[in-house]
Amino acid sequence: MTRPPTAAQRRVIDAADPVTGRLRGTESQLAALVKRELAFRHPRPPHDHFLTPAGHRVREETVTAAAGAPEAAEPVREPALESSGVFAARVGGEEGIDAGPSRIREVHSAWQGLLELRRMTNPHGVVDRPCAWERTHLVQAAAIALEAAGHRPAGADTEGYRVRATPQPEAVAVRGPVAEALRECAATLEQAGWQVGEHTEPRTGARYLLASPRRT
């Protein structure tokens, strides 16, 4: 991409589905986004257009600016506030955790959206391993898989899972309140297509999971 998107193109990007990245726009708008490598046209019917990782970054920059968040915000805080209209993955540690029916529906829809994105973008349409979007949004993707399976994220003062970025390029750390909960989180992530290993903090002795998206 050599130039920033036009105002009309940015509106198309901003209106993309926050999870799957599916786009709606005129043929010329979508073609221009493909040319700028901000979108791609799926080879199978109905040949919908989706954001590329670069397109997702453009969209997230807009959301972050609209929310008034600092550019150097901690990666796990990147999901926008609910008031922005964007689904926010619960990574653990947020205040005011909502576990009501509306949240359950949102999480279910987000997980189904990820499965559809896998089908549309993975080679041969396989859905048993993470797709490119998940590999560029590791913390959010792992958190969606956990919450969709019924695991409860930690609140500001309640116990639950916590998903955090790690220095490793394709791995997240998952911590839980007790060993049994951690094992259950490991089983969920493995079923969702992640490679999971259990490790021990050398200084504290606390157990945690290290999870990476499976490639094969």
Side-chain angles (χ1 to χ4, degrees), residues 38-193:
L38 295 174
F40 68 93
R41 183 175 183 267
H42 198 275
R44 292 198 298 270
H47 301 298
D48 285 332
H49 288 72
F50 296 84
L51 291 175
T52 63
H56 275 289
R57 286 194 293 272
V58 170
R59 186 181 186 283
E60 288 165 1
E61 288 169 3
T62 302
V63 171
T64 300
E71 289 185 0
E74 184 183 358
V76 299
R77 300 298 181 189
E78 282 183 2
L81 299 175
E82 296 291 344
S83 59
S84 70
V86 177
F87 174 82
R90 295 281 191 255
V91 303
E94 298 90 347
E95 295 184 359
I97 293 294
D98 174 21
S102 61
R103 177 63 187 180
I104 293 173
R105 287 193 296 270
E106 289 177 356
V107 174
H108 175 75
S109 294
W111 176 243
Q112 292 303 312
L114 277 184
L115 292 180
E116 176 65 9
L117 190 57
R118 290 180 180 188
R119 187 185 71 80
M120 296 290 285
T121 61
N122 276 344
H124 310 297
V126 298
V127 296
D128 62 351
R129 60 178 178 266
C131 61
W133 184 91
E134 292 169 272
R135 297 179 190 282
T136 58
H137 299 76
L138 294 171
V139 173
Q140 294 157 281
I144 291 172
L146 290 172
E147 192 177 0
H151 300 282
R152 185 174 179 83
D157 54 2
T158 58
E159 293 185 337
Y161 70 75
R162 295 175 184 266
V163 185
R164 296 293 183 266
T166 72
Q168 299 190 35
E170 274 208 359
V172 295
V174 180
R175 292 173 173 82
V178 296
E180 182 180 356
L182 205 58
R183 286 193 294 270
E184 291 173 352
C185 287
T188 290
L189 289 173
E190 288 172 350
Q191 292 173 1

